[in-house]
Amino acid sequence: MLVLITYDVNTETKEGKARLRKVAKQCLNYGVRVQNSVFECVMDSAKSREVKQKLSEIIDKDKDSLRFYYIGDKYRTKIEHIGAKDTIKVEEPLIF
């Protein structure tokens, strides 16, 4: 299923900036960055629980927030992209 992960990390302090880097780095392990704080991740429910747990341990729940949008398996018809950055098919291998 496609899971959209979004986050807002308070970066007013040095610790906040460090949390932001950790959250982004962790999200890169699971999906593709489509905007600054937005990742598209194709994963099963076990991976989804895993990333949610890891990110929950990083953020400061009093200052930061995470959102998980469960788009499902038939997401191709639910996403429309306009503008810069070509759309990446997140379920296909990337060749560099």
Side-chain angles (χ1 to χ4, degrees):
M1 79 176 138
L2 179 69
V3 179
L4 196 67
I5 301 174
T6 68
Y7 54 86
D8 186 22
V9 177
N10 184 313
T11 58
E12 294 175 353
T13 65
K14 188 165 64 169
E15 294 82 10
K17 290 175 184 173
R19 286 194 312 274
L20 176 66
R21 286 189 298 276
K22 288 178 184 177
V23 168
K25 198 172 189 179
Q26 197 60 242
C27 286
L28 282 171
N29 292 330
Y30 293 91
V32 176
R33 183 190 300 258
V34 293
Q35 291 186 357
N36 286 338
S37 298
V38 181
F39 284 79
E40 289 180 354
C41 308
V42 175
M43 60 180 70
D44 58 22
S45 57
K47 280 285 183 200
S48 178
R49 286 189 302 274
E50 178 182 306
V51 69
K52 188 186 304 184
Q53 176 64 35
K54 287 182 179 184
L55 293 175
S56 295
E57 291 172 1
I58 295 170
I59 68 163
D60 179 336
K61 291 178 182 74
D62 294 327
K63 298 177 183 175
D64 310 329
S65 69
L66 293 168
R67 287 183 179 256
F68 297 85
Y69 297 90
Y70 302 97
I71 310 299
D73 292 326
K74 296 182 171 103
Y75 58 87
R76 286 175 194 84
T77 61
K78 298 176 184 177
I79 299 172
E80 183 176 350
H81 175 88
I82 300 171
K85 292 187 178 180
D86 287 336
T87 302
I88 297 172
K89 294 181 179 174
V90 294
E91 71 280 358
E92 293 182 5
L94 292 175
I95 300 172
F96 295 96

